[in-house]
Amino acid sequence: MLNIIFTQRRGNSQGRSKITKTNKTNILAAVNTWLAVCLLAAVTACANSPNSKALEESLAADPKLKQNPVVFSSPPPATAIETNSTAKLPPDFPTEIPLYPNAELIEVGRETDPSQKNVRLRWESTDPVNSVQNFYSTEFGRRNWEIVSRPTAEGQGSLVASRDNLRVTVSLSPTQKVGGSTEFAIDYSKEGSEIPASPQANNSESSASPTASPTPSNSEETTSTPSASPKSAQVSQLDTQIPQQLRQYVADLSQLEALKVRATESANLETASTLPKPNKIVTRREYARWLVAANNQIYASRQAKQIRLAVDSSEPAFSDIPKTDPDFSAIQGLAEAGVIPSSLSGETKDVKFRPDAPLTRETMILWKVPLDTRQVLPTANIDGVKEKWGFQDASKIDSQASRAVLADFNNGDLANIRRVFGFTTLFQPKKSVTRAEAAASLWYFGVQDQGLSAKDALEAKSQPAE
């Protein structure tokens, strides 16, 4: 009985819940319908109102865009820029202007006025500014340029030099570019045209280099520094194989007839207007012969500085240079003068000269420097040479040759190493020397204020006899 009553009540409750859900659904549908009618009425009212036109115009597209539509296109390709690989030296570039070895030409500029002959070359190098400045100071000095002005100690101003109607200005920036590169400019003009002057700070150290001409005399007090001379041999007549930095040295010595060579071992000595095979390795025999000839030619008017050739009665200092050797008189003469190490000087126990062996850099300096200083070479050690020259391979230099290398440093811009090899931090003492390099070392004899060059000797020979 009770179960029947409970079942009936539960059925009535379920029926009432279904009716409630149905009513809720109907109410929601009615509300949605009412909202839709209200929205439609509002829109219709706006369409007929005076503000509807303004609202429509405010939301409409700009008529200018319809008349001039914007066309979106891809960006134009980048304009090609001329790279520094296209920059080349002018065909008429003067070969006497030194070029920094570790620099790249990035721009060549000329004056638009044809009457002007000024040319500007812009260069870029990975070396610091002071290396570039030291290189040009050294090169202008050893090539007999007259230094008109120098930069200040702070790097302000330009290095200006002149020679034979050619004026050169090297403009250096005191600071280096980001990335480690250095830019500098070389301006040059010929035949009296002027280079536009740039503002420069006053430099009390700027002074013209002395250019005294040699005067034939037997007096030991007669001094001279290398000077430019229009009577020097013409570089254009030289073999183009000669490195540009060495051409003038070879030209002057060739004109002095100091670079005689033999076509074969048994042939006679020959003199040519230029040096044959300038990049050929020079032998010890050839350099000894040239050393005596160049010294005696340059000091032709100063007998006290000449090397006496050995006579047949001399006892050979080297077992492989008998009296019958064609170069006996020169090699024996150097040994008897104590210029080259031999058993006579007691500086070596080696009794052989090895005449046909290649001449090394350290041997060339060892033989040449005594004829510059005309005195006993100073004592030296590896640390001393490294401190002065900064050579990374100073420890590879022979202990005897290191004395000459150190003494050569004291000759400043006229040092043989600077003249022959330029700026370097590696001496490479065992490396063989070429004929052109050997000739460059013989171009100047003496110390800075008491020496003569091959050019001075040529000028002295051209002067009329009194």
Side-chain angles (χ1 to χ4, degrees), residues 128-141:
V129 174
N130 61 332
S131 296
V132 179
Q133 179 176 332
N134 292 338
F135 170 81
Y136 278 100
S137 297
T138 300
E139 288 298 306
F140 283 140

Side-chain angles (χ1 to χ4, degrees), residues 95-401:
T95 57
E96 53 265 47
I97 298 178
L99 297 178
Y100 191 71
N102 187 31
E104 184 176 10
L105 181 62
I106 59 177
E107 183 181 2
V108 178
R110 292 180 179 268
E111 297 290 340
T112 56
D113 185 358
S115 62
Q116 298 292 330
K117 298 185 179 181
N118 301 328
V119 181
R120 161 162 285 209
L121 307 177
R122 288 183 57 241
W123 301 81
E124 187 175 52
S125 174
T126 56
D127 294 340
V129 174
N130 61 332
S131 296
V132 179
Q133 179 176 332
N134 292 338
F135 170 81
Y136 278 100
S137 297
T138 300
E139 288 298 306
F140 283 140
R142 73 182 184 86
R143 297 188 185 198
N144 302 326
W145 286 74
E146 179 184 355
I147 306 298
V148 179
S149 66
R150 299 178 184 270
T152 63
E154 293 77 17
Q156 299 294 330
S158 302
L159 178 62
V160 182
S162 63
R163 170 182 164 184
D164 297 342
N165 296 325
L166 180 62
R167 185 181 178 90
V168 177
T169 300
V170 180
S171 303
L172 301 165
S173 174
T175 57
Q176 208 168 13
K177 290 178 60 181
V178 177
S181 62
T182 299
E183 282 195 10
F184 62 96
I186 298 178
D187 296 87
Y188 66 90
S189 62
K190 297 184 291 185
E191 298 180 0
S193 57
E194 296 294 334
I195 296 178
S198 57
Q200 298 181 9
N202 292 332
N203 184 5
S204 59
E205 297 179 359
S206 300
S207 60
S209 302
T211 56
S213 299
T215 302
S217 171
N218 290 333
S219 171
E220 291 294 323
E221 298 180 356
T222 302
T223 62
S224 173
T225 57
S227 60
S229 170
K231 298 176 183 179
S232 174
Q234 296 297 320
V235 174
S236 59
Q237 297 177 355
L238 292 176
D239 191 333
T240 56
Q241 294 180 355
I242 299 176
Q244 185 265 340
Q245 296 87 350
L246 308 180
R247 289 177 184 175
Q248 192 63 57
Y249 305 132
V250 177
D252 293 342
L253 287 166
S254 296
Q255 190 169 344
L256 277 179
E257 300 183 357
L259 305 178
K260 296 183 178 181
V261 297
R262 289 188 177 91
T264 60
E265 293 184 2
S266 60
N268 295 327
L269 292 175
E270 298 177 358
T271 302
S273 59
T274 186
L275 180 63
K277 299 180 181 179
N279 296 320
K280 180 181 178 180
I281 300 301
V282 67
T283 64
R284 291 162 60 93
R285 172 197 300 278
E286 286 177 322
Y287 189 73
R289 182 199 312 143
W290 294 354
L291 181 61
V292 173
N295 179 84
N296 292 354
Q297 285 282 4
I298 291 176
Y299 287 114
S301 60
R302 302 173 68 175
Q303 299 293 326
K305 288 186 175 289
Q306 292 188 1
I307 298 172
R308 300 294 187 268
L309 298 177
V311 296
D312 293 341
S313 59
S314 299
E315 186 66 25
F318 303 100
S319 61
D320 53 353
I321 303 295
K323 298 178 181 180
T324 56
D325 189 279
D327 294 304
F328 171 79
S329 60
I331 297 173
Q332 182 73 17
L334 290 169
E336 291 182 351
V339 176
I340 62 177
S342 69
S343 58
L344 300 178
S345 62
E347 295 177 318
T348 179
K349 296 180 180 179
D350 191 357
V351 295
K352 289 188 176 182
F353 182 73
R354 299 184 301 282
D356 299 318
L359 179 77
T360 62
R361 290 184 170 187
E362 63 181 5
T363 301
M364 180 182 72
I365 300 300
L366 178 61
W367 292 2
K368 173 60 167 54
V369 171
L371 290 176
D372 291 326
T373 62
R374 307 280 169 166
Q375 59 186 5
V376 178
L377 297 176
T379 58
N381 53 43
I382 296 175
D383 293 335
V385 172
K386 192 171 184 178
E387 179 183 358
K388 293 293 185 180
W389 282 106
F391 291 147
Q392 303 175 44
D393 53 357
S395 60
K396 299 180 181 180
I397 304 175
D398 178 77
S399 58
Q400 193 173 13

Side-chain angles (χ1 to χ4, degrees), residues 27-96:
I27 292 172
L28 289 175
V31 172
N32 291 336
T33 302
W34 181 80
L35 290 176
V37 171
C38 291
L39 180 61
L40 179 62
V43 172
T44 304
C46 289
N48 297 325
S49 66
N51 296 329
S52 62
K53 188 66 175 178
L55 179 62
E56 181 181 358
E57 292 178 355
S58 65
L59 298 177
D62 189 350
K64 294 182 179 180
L65 294 177
K66 296 180 180 180
Q67 298 174 2
N68 300 300
V70 178
V71 179
F72 295 94
S73 60
S74 58
T79 304
I81 300 175
E82 184 178 357
T83 61
N84 55 13
S85 61
T86 61
K88 296 181 181 180
L89 284 175
D92 57 347
F93 178 76
T95 57
E96 53 265 47

Side-chain angles (χ1 to χ4, degrees), residues 390-427:
F391 291 147
Q392 303 175 44
D393 53 357
S395 60
K396 299 180 181 180
I397 304 175
D398 178 77
S399 58
Q400 193 173 13
S402 64
R403 300 167 59 195
V405 171
L406 184 61
D408 192 44
F409 178 84
N410 298 329
N411 216 5
D413 291 344
L414 293 173
N416 296 281
I417 293 176
R418 293 189 178 98
R419 181 167 62 254
V420 178
F421 308 117
F423 173 78
T424 179
T425 60
L426 288 174
F427 181 52

